[in-house]
Amino acid sequence: MRRSITLPLLARLSAPASGQGWVGLLLVALPVLLLAWLIIYPILSAVASTVFVTQQDGTSALSFASYHFFFSDQYSRANLWVTLWTTLICGLLLLATGLPIALYLRFSHGPLSTYVQGLAIFPMFVPSIILSYALIRTIGPNGAVDVLLNAVGSPKLPSPYLTPWGPVIGLVWDNLPLTVLMLTAGLGNIPKSSIEAARDVGASPPRVFVSIILPRMGNSLLVTTSFAVLGIFSSFTLPYLLGPASPEMMGPFMQRTFSDMNDPVNALTQAVIAFGFCLVFGIFYVRSIARNRGGV
């Protein structure tokens, strides 16, 4: 008798859950389809366009000639190297600059911390094109820095404008707000009781940072680094306006190959290679999110 009552009850309890599952799938169906149409399909199409080359008789044949040309061409390799160098330097500078600011904002209170937070987030509301010309008028030849140095009788310093350090300065400034916000959010997840307990037993601030804060910031640091790398590697405006003409980062290189040289195949090849490097950090980010949700 008990079994005959339990089975219909379980069936009624499981029915709403199954219905909610279908409703959830229907809700995410449209975003997934848009993702497949606007992102996944163009990626697959770009890869196919670079490895299946149309010959003179109208047939397509498998060919890696464009990739062989890229990695055998000294100028292309130099552009890839300067992009990797810029990304690495910017990532290190962002962590070295953003982490102290995030620590200060997390453990400080008062009007000064509010002003610091406002200054750190302010570049987020400045368009890249305006930031580029502001930096040109500041650190460029005969800019504000040159004028001030000349006014106090100091020697003229080489300008980072139109050198590999020009995009580094602009990209660090442009990506600093997101870095600070993400690191501050990660620090907010650390229980304050753990920090106070370490202080009660006599731990110094460096010891608290190394033993309590830093081990729990691994996921936030990984996510922050992934976002910074993805943004820097695919940047265009700041490297185009602040960087040298040769070597150049992959963003301006792809645009010039496509428009100035009218070579879409090699431009797509450069885009696929850039996507391959970004995919590595994208996988790190996805695995980090899945690990937090208990999926991995």
Side-chain angles (χ1 to χ4, degrees):
M1 180 66 179
R2 181 177 298 176
R3 183 178 181 183
S4 62
I5 296 176
T6 304
L7 291 177
L9 178 60
L10 292 176
R12 288 195 300 269
L13 291 176
S14 62
S18 177
Q20 291 177 359
W22 282 108
V23 171
L25 291 176
L26 290 176
L27 290 175
V28 301
L30 182 59
V32 170
L33 291 176
L34 289 176
L35 176 68
W37 177 38
L38 298 177
I39 298 179
I40 298 179
Y41 172 74
I43 293 174
L44 297 178
S45 176
V47 174
S49 300
T50 56
V51 297
F52 292 100
V53 180
T54 303
Q55 298 180 347
Q56 295 180 355
D57 56 359
T59 60
S60 298
L62 182 65
S63 174
F64 296 95
S66 60
Y67 294 94
H68 180 268
F69 172 77
F70 181 90
F71 289 106
S72 62
D73 180 55
Q74 183 178 0
Y75 183 69
S76 300
R77 294 198 310 269
N79 292 336
L80 178 61
W81 163 248
V82 76
T83 303
L84 294 174
W85 178 85
T86 303
T87 303
L88 175 62
I89 297 299
C90 289
L92 294 176
L93 290 177
L94 283 172
L95 291 179
T97 306
L99 187 56
I101 297 176
L103 288 170
Y104 174 78
L105 296 178
R106 172 64 176 83
F107 299 106
S108 298
H109 304 281
L112 182 59
S113 61
T114 303
Y115 290 122
V116 172
Q117 183 177 11
L119 290 175
I121 300 177
F122 174 74
M124 182 179 294
F125 306 99
V126 180
S128 298
I129 186 70
I130 297 178
L131 172 61
S132 300
Y133 284 107
L135 289 176
I136 291 174
R137 298 304 303 163
T138 303
I139 63 176
N142 301 319
V145 175
D146 270 353
V147 172
L148 292 176
L149 291 176
N150 185 53
V152 297
S154 298
K156 186 179 181 66
L157 298 178
S159 172
Y161 175 54
L162 298 182
T163 70
W165 287 102
V168 169
I169 297 174
L171 291 169
V172 169
W173 176 269
D174 192 40
N175 290 274
L176 184 61
L178 182 60
T179 302
V180 171
L181 290 176
M182 297 184 69
L183 292 177
T184 304
L187 288 170
N189 294 329
I190 300 177
K192 193 174 182 180
S193 58
S194 301
I195 300 175
E196 293 177 350
R199 290 174 176 173
D200 291 340
V201 297
S204 61
R207 185 66 177 176
V208 172
F209 174 74
V210 173
S211 301
I212 304 297
I213 297 177
L214 195 59
R216 304 188 182 187
M217 285 288 294
N219 182 71
S220 298
L221 291 174
L222 179 60
V223 173
T224 303
T225 304
S226 300
F227 267 92
V229 168
L230 294 175
I232 295 169
F233 207 97
S234 59
S235 58
F236 172 78
T237 303
L238 291 168
Y240 181 76
L241 295 176
L242 300 177
S246 176
E248 55 189 344
M249 290 184 64
M250 292 299 292
F253 184 36
M254 284 183 277
Q255 190 273 339
R256 188 176 59 81
T257 303
F258 181 81
S259 61
D260 296 347
M261 302 180 64
N262 194 22
D263 191 355
V265 175
N266 280 324
L268 282 174
T269 303
Q270 297 160 14
V272 172
I273 293 173
F275 171 75
F277 281 96
C278 294
L279 182 62
V280 176
F281 290 91
I283 292 174
F284 287 152
Y285 170 73
V286 171
R287 286 182 60 85
S288 176
I289 297 299
R291 187 181 297 112
N292 286 340
R293 296 177 60 89
V296 178

